[in-house]
Amino acid sequence: MRHRVDGLFQQTAHSPSFFELSRRMGDHGGQLVDFCIPCNPYFPTPDMFDMLARNLEAVLKFYPSDADTIAGQLARVLGINPATIAMSNGSTELITWMDHLWVRESIAIPIPTFGRWTDQPMETGKRVDMFPLQEENGFALDIDAYLRFIHARGSRVAVLCNPNNPDGGYLPRREILRFMDELSHLDLVVIDESFIDFVEVERNPSVGAEAAIRPNVVVLKSLGKNFGLHGIRFGYLVANPGLAGKMRRTLPKWNLNSLAETVVFMLAEHGEAYRESLRLLARDRYTMGMELALLPELTVYASQANFLLVKLAPGLNGTELRDHLISRHRVFIRECGNKLGMSNQFLRLVVRPEQDVARLVEGIREYTHPQWHQQQQQEASIRSLPVRNIS
Ligand SMILES: Cc1ncc(COP(=O)(O)O)c(C=O)c1O
């Protein structure tokens, strides 16, 4: 099996898609457990999926409404002024357009982070000022040090992901407000809140409402991440009406698809199910963190997102572990060797329900202690043998 996935992982700064991997693995694809792509395993609910399935033919056959109609409904559900949002085909589309519209010469970003924040501006010839987060501080972002860095480099745009990907590090709202206050002279400040709904240490962590009344702040949100629906590709930004309007006029009129429209119009009735999914996810994050921390070969970093960053003990190799897990256990993980500011000793593991974590832990144990694991399996199979009456 291993040769069939070889080569798939080294092509870009991102992991191969679930579909690509499933195709490569032939019939086994259906059994893959995905610890790679950060999702919400509890939302949409099975009822919502049934409803989508029942409407699939109409959803696929007809044109969606234009983006303003869909964004207007999203604004109503979220209680936001529609003039302050722009909706896109995944928040990556907004990162691309923000770069084209508002990043003129330079952009500062802490690393490691989501690859498009460094790659997109580099691809269009901008200077990217990368601020390295320190492993010895658990990759926590020191706002004052980052501000000093931005001033020293003279960066004209600054980005901050809260929580950050891949470590899940979170900064309290008051710190983000202070950051925005200090940078009111920049061309743009972007607070990427793609994972903020998963935060539980603070009740209202978003600074979206503040962005809407400031001249140079954009808050970015990924609905794909929040709702566990990456395939749909939908996200939005919140900014003052001038900036949000400029973005809306730049994006194509029909940039959102009918699946996105259908889900947005379902949301009003499923708010409680969504909030419950977040509670379950926070519970799973805690138990998964405890399970992983029991493995002496792993260091687990504190996270407020729907994934956990872990570091392997010296001598262990994340690339080998990834290949081992996928070929022997059908478990797909994100090894971070191709992320700027990381090495292949780091893994990003998506928060998943208990039974999936058990499969992951078993795979890691088999890799780190093959003999011990073999012995455990032999003992378990002996215990499960039927007891025969030989008298
Ligand atoms: C911090 C961050 N922002 C934005 C995105 C893009 O999300 P999407 O385009 O799926 O909405 C990602 C994806 O991983 C991310 O990690």
Side-chain angles (χ1 to χ4, degrees):
M1 176 55 55
R2 180 165 297 184
H3 68 280
R4 301 179 72 177
V5 294
D6 272 355
L8 250 189
F9 288 93
Q10 304 312 335
Q11 294 163 5
T12 68
H14 303 278
S15 294
S17 73
F18 188 81
F19 298 110
E20 212 174 345
L21 204 52
S22 300
R23 274 195 298 275
R24 271 302 175 99
M25 299 187 74
D27 291 336
H28 300 293
Q31 299 162 13
L32 266 184
V33 178
D34 185 9
F35 279 91
C36 179
I37 304 300
C39 66
N40 178 346
Y42 300 108
F43 198 83
T45 59
D47 282 356
M48 291 174 77
F49 275 120
D50 281 350
M51 197 182 142
L52 282 172
R54 278 197 304 276
N55 291 326
L56 191 63
E57 194 174 333
V59 168
L60 296 183
K61 270 189 169 170
F62 296 104
Y63 269 111
S65 307
D66 61 37
D68 283 352
T69 306
I70 304 172
Q73 172 65 11
L74 182 69
R76 261 189 297 282
V77 175
L78 300 174
I80 303 176
N81 178 346
T84 62
I85 81 169
M87 244 188 118
S88 61
N89 201 256
S91 58
T92 306
E93 187 175 47
L94 290 169
I95 295 175
T96 308
W97 278 107
M98 280 193 264
D99 175 46
H100 290 314
L101 291 177
W102 296 317
V103 184
R104 281 187 275 278
E105 56 178 73
S106 54
I107 179 167
I109 175 83
I111 59 158
T113 197
F114 176 48
R116 290 313 296 163
W117 275 124
T118 49
D119 298 351
Q120 169 64 40
M122 276 195 273
E123 285 161 15
T124 53
K126 318 291 166 45
R127 194 185 80 224
V128 181
D129 299 326
M130 297 183 216
F131 176 71
L133 299 172
Q134 303 301 321
E135 185 183 337
E136 54 271 28
N137 301 335
F139 297 101
L141 176 61
D142 176 339
I143 283 276
D144 292 304
Y146 185 34
L147 283 169
R148 283 195 298 276
F149 172 88
I150 293 165
H151 292 311
R153 295 288 172 101
S155 320
R156 294 303 310 156
V157 173
V159 180
L160 192 160
C161 297
N162 197 36
N164 191 37
N165 172 7
D167 51 287
Y170 171 71
L171 286 171
R173 189 170 182 278
R174 63 168 192 287
E175 285 287 88
I176 303 295
L177 293 178
R178 186 162 72 83
F179 181 73
M180 285 153 52
D181 286 342
E182 294 284 335
L183 297 177
S184 57
H185 61 288
L186 292 200
D187 295 343
L188 192 70
V189 175
V190 183
I191 310 298
D192 183 340
E193 293 189 347
S194 289
F195 297 100
I196 205 142
D197 282 14
F198 303 111
V199 168
E200 65 163 355
V201 289
E202 202 166 7
R203 224 167 212 286
N204 294 308
S206 175
V207 293
E210 281 287 330
I213 54 168
R214 288 176 184 243
N216 71 336
V217 179
V218 166
V219 164
L220 187 70
K221 308 267 192 175
S222 167
L223 292 176
K225 307 232 172 299
N226 297 349
F227 302 149
L229 289 169
H230 294 95
I232 289 189
R233 312 298 305 129
F234 52 175
Y236 65 100
L237 63 69
V238 183
N240 71 53
L243 289 177
K246 170 120 189 180
M247 184 59 84
R248 281 198 306 276
R249 287 190 298 280
T250 303
L251 291 168
K253 197 171 169 63
W254 282 282
N255 66 331
L256 302 172
N257 61 58
S258 309
L259 269 174
E261 174 166 14
T262 310
V263 171
V264 165
F265 276 81
M266 283 166 87
L267 289 177
E269 284 168 28
H270 295 90
E272 186 40 42
Y274 179 54
R275 285 186 287 280
E276 176 61 9
S277 77
L278 299 176
R279 282 191 285 274
L280 292 172
L281 200 134
R283 176 206 64 188
D284 286 355
R285 177 172 57 209
Y286 177 76
T287 47
M288 179 170 161
M290 299 298 265
E291 284 289 322
L292 294 176
L294 289 174
L295 299 174
E297 300 80 13
L298 300 188
T299 304
V300 185
Y301 292 86
S303 166
Q304 281 290 295
N306 54 345
F307 47 79
L308 297 168
L309 181 72
V310 303
K311 185 177 186 195
L312 295 171
L316 293 176
N317 180 312
T319 317
E320 266 179 38
L321 173 59
R322 178 200 65 204
D323 292 349
H324 169 88
L325 289 174
I326 198 146
S327 54
R328 290 190 49 96
H329 297 267
R330 313 262 173 263
V331 165
F332 181 24
I333 62 164
R334 174 68 155 100
E335 169 275 315
C336 295
N338 61 355
K339 260 191 179 296
L340 290 170
M342 294 252 95
S343 74
N344 76 357
Q345 269 189 288
F346 290 92
L347 313 172
R348 189 192 63 200
L349 303 170
V350 164
V351 172
R352 294 200 61 90
E354 224 174 341
Q355 65 276 18
D356 295 341
V357 176
R359 205 160 132 187
L360 169 73
V361 167
E362 192 195 331
I364 296 177
R365 283 217 172 98
E366 189 195 47
Y367 172 75
T368 51
H369 296 100
Q371 278 138 8
W372 177 86
H373 188 265
Q374 209 174 3
Q375 196 185 334
Q376 293 288 307
Q377 287 211 314
Q378 275 164 4
E379 284 173 16
S381 62
I382 290 168
R383 276 197 302 276
S384 67
L385 283 177
V387 181
R388 280 219 230 116
N389 188 347
I390 52 168
S391 64

